[in-house]
Amino acid sequence: MEMMVWCRQDEVIAIGLNTAREICMRQPHAMDADLLQDLVAYKKHKDKGVVMAARSLLSLYRLLFFRDCREANK
């Protein structure tokens, strides 16, 4: 999964981040914390599409983590 966003073109980076998000929606354990941290660092990128893709990935994991915490507390 790391190689999908290892490119210098902004559009390709955004597509890679969005693809990673789609994979993680179906299988959240496909990405470890270190890789997630590296990919979310793209939210400071100069291209707006890349920033939005990185924020979307972060939002997905926030939603999944919040849902798991609420289910564990029941």
Side-chain angles (χ1 to χ4, degrees):
M1 191 174 310
E2 293 175 18
M3 295 304 294
M4 284 196 283
V5 294
W6 192 255
C7 184
R8 300 217 186 260
Q9 292 179 333
D10 297 336
E11 185 176 305
V12 175
I13 295 171
I15 291 170
L17 287 169
N18 286 327
T19 302
R21 180 180 45 87
E22 289 294 325
I23 291 169
C24 294
M25 278 179 28
R26 291 169 177 77
Q27 183 60 38
H29 298 292
M31 187 178 305
D32 63 348
D34 293 331
L35 180 57
L36 180 61
Q37 185 177 8
D38 290 343
L39 295 181
V40 170
Y42 279 105
K43 69 181 182 178
K44 296 183 180 181
H45 196 271
K46 63 181 179 178
D47 184 65
K48 186 176 181 179
V50 174
V51 171
M52 295 304 294
R55 286 182 182 169
S56 177
L57 183 62
L58 178 62
S59 296
L60 171 69
Y61 272 92
R62 282 182 178 164
L63 178 69
L64 292 173
F65 180 72
F66 180 72
R67 185 180 62 194
D68 288 345
C69 287
R70 290 189 75 203
E71 289 175 0
N73 289 332
K74 286 185 178 182

Coordinates of all heavy atoms in Angstrom, one line a residue:
M1 N 0.8 -1.2 0.0 CA 0.0 0.0 0.0 C 0.9 1.3 0.0 O 0.4 2.3 -0.5 CB -0.9 0.0 1.2 CG -2.0 1.1 1.1 SD -3.2 1.1 2.4 CE -3.8 -0.6 2.4
E2 N 2.1 1.2 0.5 CA 2.9 2.3 0.6 C 3.3 2.9 -0.8 O 3.5 4.1 -1.0 CB 4.2 2.0 1.4 CG 4.0 1.7 2.8 CD 5.2 1.2 3.5 OE1 6.3 1.5 3.0 OE2 5.1 0.6 4.6
M3 N 3.4 2.0 -1.8 CA 3.8 2.4 -3.1 C 2.8 3.2 -3.9 O 3.0 3.8 -4.8 CB 4.3 1.2 -3.9 CG 5.6 0.6 -3.3 SD 6.9 1.7 -3.1 CE 7.3 2.1 -4.8
M4 N 1.5 3.1 -3.4 CA 0.4 3.8 -4.1 C 0.5 5.3 -4.1 O 0.0 5.9 -4.9 CB -0.9 3.3 -3.6 CG -1.3 1.9 -4.1 SD -3.0 1.6 -3.8 CE -3.1 1.3 -2.1
V5 N 1.1 5.8 -3.0 CA 1.2 7.3 -2.9 C 2.6 7.8 -3.0 O 2.9 8.9 -2.8 CB 0.5 7.8 -1.6 CG1 -0.9 7.5 -1.6 CG2 1.2 7.2 -0.4
W6 N 3.5 6.9 -3.4 CA 4.9 7.4 -3.5 C 5.2 7.9 -5.0 O 5.8 7.2 -5.8 CB 5.9 6.2 -3.2 CG 7.2 6.6 -3.0 CD1 8.3 6.4 -3.9 CD2 7.8 7.3 -1.9 NE1 9.4 6.9 -3.4 CE2 9.2 7.5 -2.2 CE3 7.3 7.8 -0.7 CZ2 10.0 8.2 -1.3 CZ3 8.1 8.5 0.1 CH2 9.5 8.6 -0.2
C7 N 4.7 9.0 -5.2 CA 4.9 9.7 -6.5 C 4.9 11.2 -6.4 O 4.5 11.7 -5.3 CB 3.7 9.3 -7.4 SG 3.8 9.9 -9.1
R8 N 5.3 11.9 -7.3 CA 5.5 13.3 -7.2 C 4.3 14.1 -7.9 O 4.2 15.3 -7.7 CB 6.8 13.8 -7.8 CG 8.0 13.1 -7.1 CD 9.1 14.1 -7.0 NE 10.3 13.4 -6.5 CZ 10.7 13.5 -5.2 NH1 10.0 14.2 -4.4 NH2 11.7 12.8 -4.8
Q9 N 3.5 13.5 -8.6 CA 2.4 14.2 -9.3 C 1.2 14.2 -8.3 O 0.8 13.2 -7.7 CB 1.9 13.4 -10.5 CG 3.0 13.5 -11.6 CD 2.5 12.8 -12.9 OE1 1.7 11.8 -12.8 NE2 3.0 13.2 -14.0
D10 N 0.7 15.4 -8.1 CA -0.4 15.7 -7.1 C -1.6 14.8 -7.4 O -2.2 14.2 -6.4 CB -0.8 17.1 -7.1 CG 0.4 18.0 -6.7 OD1 1.3 17.5 -6.0 OD2 0.4 19.2 -7.1
E11 N -2.0 14.7 -8.6 CA -3.2 13.9 -8.9 C -3.0 12.4 -8.6 O -3.9 11.8 -8.1 CB -3.5 14.0 -10.4 CG -4.8 13.4 -10.8 CD -5.1 13.6 -12.3 OE1 -5.2 14.8 -12.7 OE2 -5.3 12.6 -13.0
V12 N -1.8 11.9 -8.8 CA -1.6 10.5 -8.5 C -1.5 10.3 -7.0 O -2.0 9.2 -6.5 CB -0.2 10.1 -9.2 CG1 0.1 8.6 -8.8 CG2 -0.3 10.2 -10.7
I13 N -1.0 11.2 -6.3 CA -1.0 11.1 -4.8 C -2.4 11.1 -4.3 O -2.8 10.3 -3.4 CB -0.2 12.3 -4.2 CG1 1.3 12.2 -4.6 CG2 -0.3 12.3 -2.7 CD1 2.1 13.4 -4.2
A14 N -3.3 12.0 -4.8 CA -4.7 12.0 -4.3 C -5.4 10.7 -4.6 O -6.1 10.2 -3.8 CB -5.4 13.2 -5.0
I15 N -5.1 10.2 -5.8 CA -5.8 8.9 -6.2 C -5.3 7.8 -5.3 O -6.1 7.0 -4.8 CB -5.5 8.6 -7.7 CG1 -6.3 9.6 -8.6 CG2 -5.9 7.1 -8.0 CD1 -5.9 9.5 -10.0
G16 N -4.0 7.8 -5.0 CA -3.5 6.8 -4.1 C -4.0 6.9 -2.7 O -4.4 5.8 -2.1
L17 N -4.2 8.1 -2.2 CA -4.8 8.3 -0.8 C -6.2 7.8 -0.8 O -6.7 7.2 0.1 CB -4.6 9.7 -0.4 CG -3.2 10.2 0.0 CD1 -3.2 11.7 0.2 CD2 -2.8 9.5 1.3
N18 N -7.0 8.2 -1.9 CA -8.4 7.8 -1.9 C -8.5 6.3 -2.1 O -9.4 5.7 -1.5 CB -9.1 8.5 -3.1 CG -9.3 10.0 -2.8 OD1 -9.6 10.3 -1.6 ND2 -9.3 10.8 -3.8
T19 N -7.6 5.6 -2.8 CA -7.6 4.2 -2.9 C -7.3 3.5 -1.6 O -8.0 2.6 -1.2 CB -6.6 3.7 -4.0 OG1 -6.9 4.4 -5.2 CG2 -6.6 2.2 -4.2
A20 N -6.4 4.1 -0.9 CA -6.0 3.6 0.5 C -7.2 3.7 1.4 O -7.5 2.8 2.2 CB -4.8 4.3 1.0
R21 N -8.0 4.8 1.3 CA -9.2 5.0 2.1 C -10.2 4.0 1.8 O -10.9 3.4 2.7 CB -9.7 6.4 1.9 CG -11.0 6.7 2.8 CD -11.5 8.1 2.6 NE -11.6 8.5 1.2 CZ -12.6 8.3 0.4 NH1 -13.6 7.6 0.8 NH2 -12.6 8.7 -0.9
E22 N -10.4 3.7 0.5 CA -11.5 2.7 0.1 C -11.1 1.3 0.6 O -12.0 0.6 1.0 CB -11.6 2.7 -1.4 CG -12.3 3.9 -2.0 CD -13.7 4.0 -1.5 OE1 -14.4 3.0 -1.4 OE2 -14.2 5.2 -1.3
I23 N -9.8 1.0 0.5 CA -9.4 -0.3 1.0 C -9.6 -0.4 2.5 O -10.1 -1.4 3.1 CB -7.9 -0.6 0.7 CG1 -7.7 -0.8 -0.8 CG2 -7.3 -1.8 1.5 CD1 -6.3 -0.7 -1.3
C24 N -9.3 0.7 3.2 CA -9.4 0.7 4.7 C -10.8 0.7 5.2 O -11.1 0.3 6.3 CB -8.6 1.8 5.3 SG -6.8 1.6 5.1
M25 N -11.7 1.2 4.3 CA -13.2 1.2 4.7 C -13.6 -0.3 4.8 O -14.5 -0.6 5.6 CB -14.0 1.9 3.6 CG -14.0 3.4 3.8 SD -14.9 4.4 2.7 CE -16.2 3.4 2.0
R26 N -13.1 -1.1 3.9 CA -13.5 -2.5 3.9 C -12.7 -3.4 4.9 O -13.2 -4.3 5.4 CB -13.4 -3.1 2.5 CG -14.4 -2.5 1.5 CD -14.1 -2.8 0.1 NE -15.1 -2.3 -0.8 CZ -15.2 -1.1 -1.2 NH1 -14.4 -0.2 -0.8 NH2 -16.1 -0.7 -2.1
Q27 N -11.5 -3.0 5.1 CA -10.6 -3.7 6.0 C -9.7 -2.8 6.8 O -8.6 -2.4 6.4 CB -9.7 -4.7 5.2 CG -8.8 -5.6 6.0 CD -9.6 -6.5 6.9 OE1 -10.6 -7.0 6.6 NE2 -9.1 -6.7 8.1
P28 N -10.2 -2.3 7.9 CA -9.5 -1.2 8.7 C -8.1 -1.6 9.2 O -7.3 -0.8 9.4 CB -10.4 -1.0 9.9 CG -11.8 -1.5 9.4 CD -11.5 -2.6 8.5
H29 N -7.9 -2.9 9.3 CA -6.6 -3.4 9.8 C -5.6 -3.6 8.7 O -4.5 -4.1 9.0 CB -6.8 -4.7 10.6 CG -7.7 -4.6 11.8 ND1 -7.3 -3.8 12.9 CD2 -8.9 -5.0 12.0 CE1 -8.3 -3.9 13.8 NE2 -9.3 -4.6 13.3
A30 N -5.9 -3.1 7.5 CA -5.0 -3.2 6.4 C -3.8 -2.2 6.6 O -2.8 -2.4 5.9 CB -5.7 -3.0 5.1
M31 N -4.0 -1.2 7.4 CA -3.0 -0.2 7.6 C -2.6 -0.1 9.1 O -3.4 -0.1 9.9 CB -3.5 1.2 7.1 CG -2.5 2.3 7.1 SD -3.2 3.8 6.5 CE -3.9 3.4 4.9
D32 N -1.3 0.0 9.3 CA -0.8 0.1 10.7 C -0.7 1.6 11.0 O -0.9 2.5 10.2 CB 0.5 -0.6 10.9 CG 1.6 -0.1 10.1 OD1 1.4 0.7 9.2 OD2 2.8 -0.5 10.4
A33 N -0.4 1.9 12.3 CA -0.4 3.3 12.8 C 0.7 4.1 12.1 O 0.5 5.3 11.8 CB -0.3 3.3 14.3
D34 N 1.8 3.5 11.9 CA 2.9 4.2 11.3 C 2.6 4.7 9.9 O 2.9 5.8 9.5 CB 4.2 3.4 11.3 CG 4.7 3.1 12.7 OD1 4.5 4.0 13.6 OD2 5.4 2.1 12.9
L35 N 2.1 3.8 9.1 CA 1.7 4.1 7.7 C 0.6 5.2 7.7 O 0.6 6.1 6.9 CB 1.3 2.9 6.9 CG 0.8 3.1 5.5 CD1 2.0 3.8 4.7 CD2 0.4 1.8 4.9
L36 N -0.4 5.0 8.6 CA -1.5 6.0 8.7 C -0.9 7.4 9.0 O -1.3 8.4 8.4 CB -2.5 5.6 9.7 CG -3.7 6.5 9.9 CD1 -4.5 6.7 8.6 CD2 -4.5 6.1 11.0
Q37 N 0.0 7.4 9.9 CA 0.6 8.7 10.3 C 1.4 9.3 9.1 O 1.3 10.6 8.9 CB 1.6 8.5 11.5 CG 2.2 9.8 12.0 CD 3.1 9.5 13.2 OE1 3.4 8.4 13.6 NE2 3.5 10.6 13.9
D38 N 2.1 8.5 8.4 CA 2.8 9.0 7.2 C 1.9 9.6 6.1 O 2.1 10.6 5.5 CB 3.7 7.9 6.6 CG 4.9 7.5 7.4 OD1 5.2 8.3 8.4 OD2 5.4 6.5 7.2
L39 N 0.8 8.9 5.9 CA -0.2 9.3 4.9 C -1.0 10.5 5.3 O -1.3 11.4 4.5 CB -1.1 8.1 4.5 CG -0.5 6.9 3.9 CD1 -1.6 5.9 3.5 CD2 0.3 7.3 2.6
V40 N -1.3 10.6 6.6 CA -2.1 11.8 7.0 C -1.2 13.0 7.0 O -1.7 14.1 6.9 CB -2.6 11.5 8.5 CG1 -3.2 12.7 9.1 CG2 -3.7 10.4 8.4
A41 N 0.1 12.9 7.0 CA 1.0 14.0 6.9 C 0.8 14.8 5.6 O 1.2 15.9 5.5 CB 2.5 13.6 7.1
Y42 N 0.2 14.2 4.6 CA -0.1 14.8 3.3 C -1.1 15.9 3.5 O -1.4 16.7 2.5 CB -0.5 13.8 2.3 CG 0.6 13.1 1.6 CD1 0.9 11.8 1.9 CD2 1.4 13.7 0.7 CE1 1.9 11.1 1.3 CE2 2.4 13.1 0.1 CZ 2.7 11.7 0.4 OH 3.7 11.1 -0.2
K43 N -1.7 16.1 4.7 CA -2.7 17.1 4.8 C -2.1 18.5 4.8 O -2.8 19.5 4.8 CB -3.6 16.9 6.1 CG -2.8 17.1 7.4 CD -3.8 16.8 8.5 CE -3.0 17.0 9.8 NZ -3.9 16.9 11.0
K44 N -0.8 18.6 4.8 CA -0.1 19.9 4.7 C 0.5 20.1 3.3 O 1.4 20.9 3.1 CB 1.0 19.9 5.8 CG 0.5 19.9 7.2 CD 1.6 20.0 8.2 CE 1.0 20.0 9.6 NZ 2.0 20.1 10.6
H45 N 0.1 19.3 2.4 CA 0.5 19.4 1.0 C 0.0 20.6 0.3 O -1.0 21.2 0.8 CB 0.1 18.1 0.3 CG 0.8 17.9 -1.0 ND1 0.4 18.4 -2.2 CD2 2.0 17.2 -1.3 CE1 1.3 18.0 -3.2 NE2 2.2 17.3 -2.6
K46 N 0.6 21.1 -0.7 CA 0.2 22.3 -1.4 C -1.0 22.1 -2.3 O -1.7 23.1 -2.5 CB 1.4 22.8 -2.3 CG 1.8 21.9 -3.4 CD 2.9 22.4 -4.2 CE 3.2 21.3 -5.3 NZ 4.3 21.8 -6.1
D47 N -1.3 20.9 -2.7 CA -2.4 20.7 -3.6 C -3.7 20.4 -2.8 O -3.7 19.6 -1.9 CB -2.1 19.5 -4.5 CG -3.2 19.3 -5.5 OD1 -3.4 20.2 -6.4 OD2 -3.9 18.2 -5.5
K48 N -4.8 21.0 -3.2 CA -6.0 20.9 -2.4 C -6.6 19.5 -2.5 O -7.2 19.0 -1.5 CB -7.0 21.9 -2.9 CG -8.3 22.0 -2.1 CD -9.2 23.1 -2.6 CE -10.5 23.1 -1.8 NZ -11.4 24.2 -2.2
G49 N -6.5 18.9 -3.6 CA -7.0 17.5 -3.8 C -6.3 16.5 -2.9 O -6.9 15.6 -2.3
V50 N -5.0 16.7 -2.7 CA -4.2 15.8 -1.8 C -4.6 16.1 -0.4 O -4.8 15.1 0.4 CB -2.7 16.0 -2.1 CG1 -1.9 15.3 -1.1 CG2 -2.3 15.7 -3.5
V51 N -4.8 17.3 0.0 CA -5.2 17.7 1.3 C -6.5 17.1 1.7 O -6.7 16.5 2.7 CB -5.2 19.2 1.5 CG1 -5.8 19.6 2.8 CG2 -3.8 19.8 1.4
M52 N -7.5 17.2 0.8 CA -8.8 16.6 1.0 C -8.8 15.1 1.1 O -9.5 14.5 2.0 CB -9.8 17.1 -0.1 CG -10.0 18.6 -0.1 SD -10.6 19.2 1.4 CE -12.2 18.5 1.5
A53 N -7.9 14.5 0.3 CA -7.8 13.0 0.4 C -7.2 12.6 1.7 O -7.7 11.6 2.3 CB -7.0 12.5 -0.8
A54 N -6.2 13.3 2.2 CA -5.6 13.0 3.5 C -6.5 13.2 4.6 O -6.6 12.4 5.6 CB -4.3 13.8 3.7
R55 N -7.3 14.3 4.6 CA -8.3 14.6 5.6 C -9.4 13.5 5.6 O -9.9 13.1 6.7 CB -8.9 15.9 5.4 CG -8.0 17.1 5.8 CD -8.6 18.4 5.6 NE -7.8 19.5 5.9 CZ -8.0 20.8 5.7 NH1 -9.2 21.1 5.1 NH2 -7.2 21.7 6.0
S56 N -9.8 13.0 4.5 CA -10.8 12.0 4.4 C -10.3 10.7 5.0 O -11.1 10.0 5.7 CB -11.1 11.8 2.9 OG -12.1 10.8 2.7
L57 N -9.1 10.4 4.8 CA -8.5 9.2 5.4 C -8.4 9.3 6.9 O -8.8 8.4 7.6 CB -7.1 8.9 4.8 CG -6.4 7.7 5.3 CD1 -7.1 6.4 4.9 CD2 -4.9 7.6 4.7
L58 N -8.1 10.5 7.4 CA -8.0 10.7 8.8 C -9.4 10.6 9.4 O -9.6 10.0 10.5 CB -7.4 12.1 9.1 CG -7.3 12.5 10.6 CD1 -6.5 11.5 11.4 CD2 -6.8 13.9 10.7
S59 N -10.4 11.2 8.7 CA -11.8 11.2 9.2 C -12.3 9.8 9.3 O -13.1 9.4 10.2 CB -12.7 12.0 8.3 OG -12.3 13.3 8.3
L60 N -11.9 8.9 8.3 CA -12.4 7.5 8.3 C -11.9 6.8 9.6 O -12.7 6.2 10.3 CB -11.9 6.8 7.1 CG -12.1 5.3 7.1 CD1 -13.6 4.9 7.0 CD2 -11.3 4.6 6.0
Y61 N -10.6 7.0 9.9 CA -10.1 6.3 11.1 C -10.6 6.9 12.4 O -10.8 6.2 13.4 CB -8.5 6.3 11.1 CG -8.1 5.1 10.3 CD1 -7.8 5.1 9.0 CD2 -7.9 3.9 11.0 CE1 -7.4 4.0 8.3 CE2 -7.5 2.7 10.3 CZ -7.3 2.8 9.0 OH -6.9 1.7 8.3
R62 N -10.9 8.2 12.4 CA -11.5 8.8 13.6 C -12.9 8.2 13.8 O -13.3 7.9 14.9 CB -11.6 10.3 13.4 CG -10.3 11.0 13.7 CD -10.5 12.5 13.6 NE -9.3 13.2 13.8 CZ -9.0 14.5 13.5 NH1 -10.0 15.2 12.9 NH2 -7.9 15.0 13.8
L63 N -13.6 8.1 12.7 CA -15.0 7.5 12.8 C -14.9 6.0 13.3 O -15.7 5.6 14.1 CB -15.7 7.6 11.5 CG -17.1 7.0 11.4 CD1 -18.0 7.8 12.2 CD2 -17.5 6.9 10.0
L64 N -14.0 5.2 12.7 CA -13.9 3.8 13.0 C -13.4 3.7 14.5 O -13.9 2.8 15.2 CB -12.9 3.1 12.1 CG -13.3 3.0 10.7 CD1 -12.2 2.4 9.8 CD2 -14.6 2.1 10.6
F65 N -12.5 4.5 14.9 CA -12.0 4.4 16.3 C -13.1 4.8 17.3 O -13.2 4.2 18.3 CB -10.7 5.3 16.5 CG -10.2 5.3 17.8 CD1 -9.5 4.1 18.3 CD2 -10.3 6.4 18.7 CE1 -9.0 4.1 19.6 CE2 -9.8 6.3 20.0 CZ -9.2 5.2 20.4
F66 N -13.8 5.9 17.0 CA -14.9 6.3 17.9 C -15.9 5.3 18.0 O -16.4 5.0 19.1 CB -15.5 7.6 17.3 CG -16.6 8.2 18.2 CD1 -16.3 8.7 19.4 CD2 -17.9 8.1 17.8 CE1 -17.3 9.3 20.2 CE2 -18.9 8.6 18.6 CZ -18.6 9.2 19.8
R67 N -16.3 4.6 16.9 CA -17.3 3.6 16.9 C -16.9 2.4 17.7 O -17.6 1.8 18.5 CB -17.7 3.2 15.5 CG -18.8 2.2 15.4 CD -19.1 1.8 14.0 NE -18.0 1.1 13.4 CZ -17.9 0.9 12.1 NH1 -18.8 1.3 11.3 NH2 -16.8 0.3 11.7
D68 N -15.6 2.0 17.5 CA -15.1 0.9 18.3 C -15.0 1.2 19.8 O -15.3 0.3 20.6 CB -13.7 0.5 17.8 CG -13.7 -0.2 16.5 OD1 -14.8 -0.6 16.0 OD2 -12.6 -0.3 15.8
C69 N -14.7 2.4 20.2 CA -14.6 2.8 21.6 C -16.0 2.8 22.2 O -16.2 2.3 23.3 CB -14.0 4.2 21.7 SG -12.2 4.2 21.5
R70 N -17.0 3.2 21.4 CA -18.4 3.2 22.0 C -18.9 1.8 22.1 O -19.6 1.5 23.1 CB -19.3 4.0 21.0 CG -19.0 5.5 21.1 CD -20.0 6.3 20.3 NE -21.2 6.3 21.1 CZ -22.4 6.5 20.6 NH1 -22.6 6.7 19.4 NH2 -23.5 6.6 21.4
E71 N -18.6 0.9 21.2 CA -19.0 -0.5 21.3 C -18.3 -1.2 22.5 O -18.9 -2.1 23.1 CB -18.8 -1.2 20.0 CG -19.7 -0.8 18.9 CD -19.3 -1.4 17.6 OE1 -18.4 -2.2 17.5 OE2 -20.0 -1.1 16.6
A72 N -17.1 -0.9 22.8 CA -16.4 -1.5 23.9 C -16.9 -1.1 25.2 O -16.8 -1.8 26.2 CB -14.9 -1.2 23.8
N73 N -17.5 0.1 25.3 CA -18.0 0.7 26.6 C -19.4 0.2 26.9 O -19.9 0.4 28.0 CB -17.9 2.2 26.6 CG -16.5 2.7 26.7 OD1 -15.6 2.0 27.2 ND2 -16.3 3.9 26.1
K74 N -20.0 -0.5 26.0 CA -21.4 -1.0 26.2 C -21.4 -2.1 27.1 O -20.6 -2.9 27.3 CB -22.1 -1.3 24.9 CG -22.5 0.0 24.1 CD -23.3 -0.4 22.9 CE -23.7 0.8 22.2 NZ -24.5 0.6 21.0

